[in-house]
Structure formats: C-alpha cells, structure tokens
Amino acid sequence: MTSDHTQPTPAPFLRVVRGSPTPEETAALVAVLTARARAIQAARSRAAGAAPRSGWRDRARLLGVPPRPSPDAWRRSFHPG
C-alpha cells in the first residue's frame, strides 16, 4: 500500500532580501545566529532554577568511604562500620 501524501515544503530559515552574499558570508551569519540562540537557551535554563547541587544533598556520601587495602578490607567492603 503506497501513499501519495506529499509534505508541504517548510518556509526557509533564512532569506536574503537584498544583495548576493557569498556562501561563506551566509555560513558565518548562520553560525552567529545559532550561537546566539544556544546562549539564550542556556541562560534561560540557568535562570529556570537549575541551581548547583549542594554537597549535602549528594546521596553518594551515604555510601561511605571505599575500603583501603588491608588484611581485613573484605570485611569492611561488605559491612559498614
């Protein structure tokens, strides 16, 4: 079963209205716009409450210190304390 549904062509992302830029100039403009959009997105995510995690909230500290090599280290590796 085949379908003859064709997708509409999306509007262009960038349109030159005057002049004829070189491919390098167009690429530079796209790079600047992309970098600016990513910087804005990063600033919004930082402002949205992505506060740095406190060391007190880090649950890895509950695991304890890994055992140090010694004759009875195998006991400490299983039973904390």
Side-chain angles (χ1 to χ4, degrees):
M1 205 179 216
T2 61
S3 173
D4 289 334
H5 296 288
T6 58
Q7 297 291 335
T9 305
F13 177 75
L14 185 66
R15 185 173 59 135
V16 177
V17 292
R18 189 179 330 167
S20 56
T22 64
E24 291 82 12
E25 291 171 333
T26 305
L29 178 61
V30 170
V32 168
L33 292 176
T34 302
R36 185 171 186 268
R38 287 184 179 167
I40 290 171
Q41 183 181 16
R44 285 183 182 161
S45 69
R46 282 192 304 266
R53 288 190 76 155
S54 167
W56 291 102
R57 294 186 65 201
D58 185 13
R59 298 192 54 85
R61 68 182 172 83
L62 298 175
L63 296 175
V65 179
R68 295 202 172 128
S70 68
D72 61 343
W74 64 272
R75 290 186 187 133
R76 291 192 318 256
S77 67
F78 177 72
H79 186 343

